[in-house]
Amino acid sequence: MEIKKFKKFDDNFLWGASISAFQAEGASTKDGKGLSIQDVKKISEKYSDFSVAADFYNNYKEDIALLKEMGLSSFRFSISWTRIIPDGDGEINKKGITFYHNLIDELKKNGIEPIVTIYHFDLPYLLQQKGGWSNRDMIVKAFLKYSKVLFNEYAKKVKYWLTINEQNVMIMIGSKMKFLNGEDKKFNEKELYNQSHNMFIAQALVMEELHNNFPDCLIAPALNIVSIYPNSNKPQDYLAAMNASVMRNWYYLDAIVRGEYNPIMYKYLEDNNFLPDFRKGDYEILKKAKPDFIAFNYYTSATVKSEVNNFVEVEELIDQQRLFDVPGMFSYCENPNLEKTEYGWDIDSTGFRITMREMYERYRLPLMITENGLGYSEELNENNTVDDSYRIEYYEKHLNELRKCISEGIKVISYNAWTAIDIVSSHQGFSKRYGFIYVDRTEKDLKQMKRYPKKSFYWYKEYIKKLKD
Ligand code: BG6
């Protein structure tokens, strides 16, 4: 639809940016923090590990001052489970608790709304040793305990909560990316879908816990949802795209929002003997819990076809945005209509609009964008800044589509760009930068880690300001 009259963003729309704990904080063993799977995973020689990251742990006040200068009204960050409970399910670490109180207080002092992700790829290593997400009794109890600690400490100050970051990415390619258990271990699909089911259960209990005790708070999952196109107008390709959407998007959202297993996915799991070990009462648990909105991360779209590929997929290329083949369901293919980023991700701002429309039409819940951004290898120029005009162009196009969605009546409560400051990429080191603020370090040379606003910093500041005026 061509939009003839654009609607304005609500005055209380939250304009923000995001980070995650393990990618930004550093201080990975400081003040009693326990090890997470991200701290122990093997990392390629050419990339930085996560031990120092952007040193946000020690720099958060300075960073928040810059976020305030940019005019942000929200900041999405995750809490490190092992800073709060070092071994995952035992003693509470007071220093960890204090750190997040200070961080939240600092944000609020600066007029920035905290949006807290409970879990972002950083499972406590000791819980991983006990079976991680495969060990249902252990993990559900531990996740609930950890979440209760967070709610009791922070829910009076934090209104917006996110349960699990990108459950769908963890299940679909988490073992290859070492997001799921820190190892490049191939789980069989039965075990994977059991892990996924355990996440559904844990997440549902946590949503209910918050609703029962802190009715003013709002909570949602944060999945990586993408629009999926058929490669042609062959009906079989359309069906393949529907299958891919079910596997990547709706299976997760149907379970979390509607408390139901998507029927197509159920059939796929059943036919392949991948059905999880349902327990009595599971459906009731899923049905009872309802998110208040849907948070999602969007980077790009995907294209699929029905025909089976007769090439061997280059394993290296598969990551959280590049699909693969699922025999009998869909096969991956390139989309020649889209430009690619330096790192090979398609740029598709229209897909952003399609994604929002699809979700809103299916679930009618308000949406929150928790990640959207462009990774680029960058260096400071002679003026101590980065001319990241490509990033500005990326944001402009995506925000324009967001404006169209708002104008079409889709409820969106907040947009949080990925990322506020440069942090370590989840799988491609520090050189793949996403921030509005340059952090001066390289993969191996930490330098002084001084912060320098990039051109996009001033652009975002102006963009937000104009909308408020
Ligand atoms: C999302 C994750 O999958 O993509 C982030 O939630 C991640 O943690 C982001 O950083 C960008 O991906 P990458 O691999 O380029 O850092």
Side-chain angles (χ1 to χ4, degrees):
M1 176 164 81
E2 188 201 339
I3 306 293
K4 299 210 171 113
K5 283 185 197 151
F6 279 91
K7 267 198 207 143
K8 279 181 69 175
F9 284 92
D10 274 356
D11 289 345
N12 53 4
F13 189 90
L14 296 171
W15 288 100
S18 300
I19 59 163
S20 82
F22 79 96
Q23 294 173 273
E25 285 178 4
S28 62
T29 51
K30 201 174 164 187
D31 291 340
K33 178 180 169 301
L35 293 176
S36 84
I37 55 169
Q38 297 296 340
D39 300 316
V40 298
K41 78 179 181 189
K42 280 207 190 78
I43 292 171
S44 148
E45 259 304 293
K46 58 183 180 192
Y47 295 138
S48 155
D49 62 23
F50 297 96
S51 56
V52 183
D55 202 24
F56 180 72
Y57 189 79
N58 294 307
N59 261 285
Y60 71 93
K61 285 195 178 162
E62 190 195 330
D63 290 334
I64 291 171
L66 285 169
L67 302 185
K68 183 185 181 182
E69 192 190 323
M70 221 186 339
L72 296 198
S73 42
S74 62
F75 180 58
R76 176 215 179 200
F77 62 95
S78 71
I79 290 188
S80 156
W81 188 337
T82 55
R83 226 181 257 299
I84 300 293
I85 306 178
D87 66 1
D89 57 2
E91 293 292 307
I92 292 166
N93 176 28
K94 284 211 179 84
K95 287 190 173 160
I97 299 278
T98 306
F99 171 69
Y100 292 108
H101 269 302
N102 293 341
L103 170 58
I104 292 165
D105 292 347
E106 190 68 18
L107 286 167
K108 299 203 81 145
K109 209 168 78 190
N110 285 283
I112 302 174
E113 186 77 42
I115 299 173
V116 173
T117 316
I118 297 173
Y119 179 72
H120 193 126
F121 300 162
D122 53 356
L123 185 68
Y125 178 60
L126 290 174
L127 297 189
Q128 174 51 34
Q129 299 293 88
K130 296 183 194 166
W133 286 102
S134 291
N135 183 345
R136 170 162 171 168
D137 290 325
M138 180 278 294
I139 198 73
V140 170
K141 196 163 148 245
F143 189 65
L144 189 58
K145 169 176 171 170
Y146 161 55
S147 303
K148 277 186 188 172
V149 173
L150 300 190
F151 298 155
N152 290 334
E153 287 292 337
Y154 311 121
K156 286 202 188 90
K157 304 175 180 180
V158 173
K159 177 173 177 188
Y160 296 99
W161 291 87
L162 308 167
T163 51
I164 298 180
N165 182 66
E166 297 193 347
Q167 177 183 345
N168 56 341
V169 164
M170 284 192 281
I171 299 305
M172 291 189 83
I173 41 106
S175 21
K176 178 184 181 255
M177 307 288 292
K178 303 182 190 157
F179 291 163
L180 195 55
N181 67 343
E183 290 167 26
D184 189 356
K185 173 182 166 188
K186 279 237 176 314
F187 289 102
N188 66 47
E189 285 190 69
K190 165 89 182 165
E191 190 172 351
L192 269 178
Y193 285 108
N194 254 329
Q195 299 198 27
S196 186
H197 186 71
N198 297 343
M199 288 182 194
F200 287 146
I201 297 293
Q203 180 164 231
L205 293 172
V206 162
M207 291 196 292
E208 230 208 315
E209 172 71 24
L210 184 72
H211 284 144
N212 288 344
N213 297 294
F214 300 93
D216 294 338
C217 293
L218 303 174
I219 189 159
L223 293 153
N224 183 317
I225 304 294
V226 300
S227 47
I228 299 180
Y229 309 133
N231 193 38
S232 75
N233 56 6
K234 282 188 213 152
Q236 298 88 329
D237 284 350
Y238 187 80
L239 212 48
M242 288 178 85
N243 290 339
S245 277
V246 163
M247 274 200 105
R248 179 163 179 134
N249 302 325
W250 315 140
Y251 149 62
Y252 298 93
L253 280 173
D254 283 1
I256 299 165
V257 179
R258 296 179 175 153
E260 288 166 6
Y261 262 61
N262 177 288
I264 314 299
M265 190 64 186
Y266 190 93
K267 182 68 183 145
Y268 166 81
L269 297 173
E270 187 179 40
D271 282 3
N272 291 286
N273 295 321
F274 300 153
L275 273 179
D277 305 322
F278 290 101
R279 292 190 188 169
K280 201 166 164 263
D282 278 2
Y283 276 116
E284 283 72 28
I285 294 176
L286 296 183
K287 271 275 173 224
K288 240 172 146 188
K290 290 259 178 291
D292 302 288
F293 59 99
I294 296 175
F296 73 104
N297 303 342
Y298 177 87
Y299 291 90
T300 185
S301 56
T303 304
V304 298
K305 59 185 178 183
S306 56
E307 256 162 67
V308 175
N309 283 316
N310 49 22
F311 64 88
V312 181
E313 179 63 86
V314 190
E315 263 281 302
E316 259 302 284
L317 293 177
I318 297 175
D319 65 17
Q320 64 266 58
Q321 294 309 148
R322 194 175 150 124
L323 275 182
F324 37 83
D325 298 2
V326 178
M329 293 288 272
F330 61 84
S331 302
Y332 168 82
C333 52
E334 293 283 344
N335 187 338
N337 303 301
L338 299 172
E339 273 177 45
K340 283 192 190 304
T341 70
E342 188 192 357
Y343 287 86
W345 290 4
D346 289 335
I347 302 179
D348 183 8
S349 53
T350 308
F352 186 38
R353 181 178 178 194
I354 296 170
T355 304
M356 286 185 264
R357 272 174 63 159
E358 281 190 304
M359 273 191 290
Y360 196 68
E361 282 180 19
R362 279 182 79 95
Y363 303 107
R364 280 292 192 287
L365 280 178
L367 305 175
M368 174 188 279
I369 296 102
T370 36
E371 290 182 28
N372 174 233
L374 177 67
Y376 213 90
S377 55
E378 297 166 323
E379 280 175 20
L380 271 188
N381 64 21
E382 62 288 359
N383 301 320
N384 276 340
T385 186
V386 176
D387 180 350
D388 55 347
S389 304
Y390 37 84
R391 182 169 291 113
I392 295 174
E393 190 188 329
Y394 179 96
Y395 281 133
E396 266 173 349
K397 283 187 177 153
H398 284 77
L399 289 175
N400 204 27
E401 298 303 316
L402 174 59
R403 285 184 65 214
K404 291 181 191 165
C405 286
I406 303 257
S407 304
E408 283 169 328
I410 295 177
K411 275 212 169 64
V412 185
I413 49 183
S414 174
Y415 174 86
N416 297 279
W418 187 261
T419 49
I421 56 172
D422 287 341
I423 60 174
V424 194
S425 145
S426 71
H427 75 298
Q428 286 169 314
F430 211 92
S431 350
K432 187 181 189 186
R433 294 168 184 269
Y434 282 89
F436 290 113
I437 297 161
Y438 186 89
V439 175
D440 193 18
R441 60 159 287 186
T442 63
E443 294 293 355
K444 305 285 167 176
D445 182 358
L446 297 176
K447 301 193 196 172
Q448 301 290 311
M449 293 229 225
K450 282 182 76 173
R451 277 51 175 159
Y452 298 97
K454 300 179 194 175
K455 192 174 174 185
S456 57
F457 175 98
Y458 299 104
W459 166 83
Y460 198 36
K461 181 177 175 177
E462 269 312 295
Y463 191 95
I464 299 171
K465 193 167 164 277
K466 261 200 222 133
L467 289 168
K468 280 189 182 155
D469 289 344

